[in-house]
């Protein structure tokens, strides 16, 4: 549950960063480069997911929590879902829009 909440937080941080770039006064080409520069942030959900899986496995080995592979790997699944939503639904769509804007601007 803790790592699911962290994933939701990471999702919201990514959306805020996309909106920040979107609202900036830079040209579409610069915005596109700024989006590319945030690639590690947009992958953050995977890092949180891996950390959650490792933490759950360590806690199981130390017998702090009951052995349950579903609990251990659920964090990774949340990370994959979070990053897929961010990158496919938001990043990809916005980058496509920026590419088209940059192309139209170059033709003027």
């Amino acid at each position: 549950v803790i790592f699911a909440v962290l994933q939701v937080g990471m999702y919201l941080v990514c959306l805020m960063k996309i909106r920040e770039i979107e609202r900036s006064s830079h040209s579409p080409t610069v915005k596109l480069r700024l989006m590319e520069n945030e690639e590690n942030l947009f992958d953050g959900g995977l890092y949180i997911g891996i950390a959650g899986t490792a933490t759950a496995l360590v806690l199981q080995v130390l017998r702090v929590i009951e052995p349950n592979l579903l609990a251990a790997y659920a964090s990774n699944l949340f990370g994959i879902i979070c990053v897929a939503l961010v990158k496919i639904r938001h990043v990809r769509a916005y980058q496509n829009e920026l590419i088209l804007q940059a192309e139209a601007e170059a033709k003027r």
Side-chain angles (χ1 to χ4, degrees):
V1 173
I2 292 169
F3 285 95
V5 171
L6 287 174
Q7 292 294 357
V8 169
M10 176 56 76
Y11 179 77
L12 294 175
V13 166
C14 290
L15 290 182
M16 287 183 345
K17 180 51 85 174
I18 293 168
R19 298 300 171 247
E20 177 186 317
I21 293 170
E22 189 175 32
R23 286 190 299 261
S24 73
S25 60
H26 300 296
S27 71
T29 306
V30 172
K31 288 180 181 181
L32 190 57
R33 291 189 61 212
L34 289 170
M35 289 290 290
E36 291 169 358
N37 192 51
E38 296 297 340
E39 195 69 26
N40 285 332
L41 173 67
F42 300 142
D43 286 338
L46 293 176
Y47 307 138
I48 292 171
I50 292 168
T53 298
T55 300
L57 290 173
V58 167
L59 291 176
Q60 289 176 27
V61 168
L62 296 175
R63 300 187 194 278
V64 174
I65 60 175
E66 288 189 35
N68 182 344
L69 288 179
L70 180 61
Y73 291 111
S75 180
N76 237 2
L77 179 61
F78 289 138
I80 292 166
I81 291 169
C82 174
V83 171
L85 281 173
V86 167
K87 289 188 135 185
I88 294 170
R89 172 75 174 96
H90 301 288
V91 172
R92 185 172 181 268
Y94 185 52
Q95 284 182 332
N96 283 343
E97 181 183 322
L98 290 173
I99 290 167
L100 294 173
Q101 288 175 5
E103 185 68 24
E105 197 174 86
K107 289 181 180 179
R108 288 185 208 158

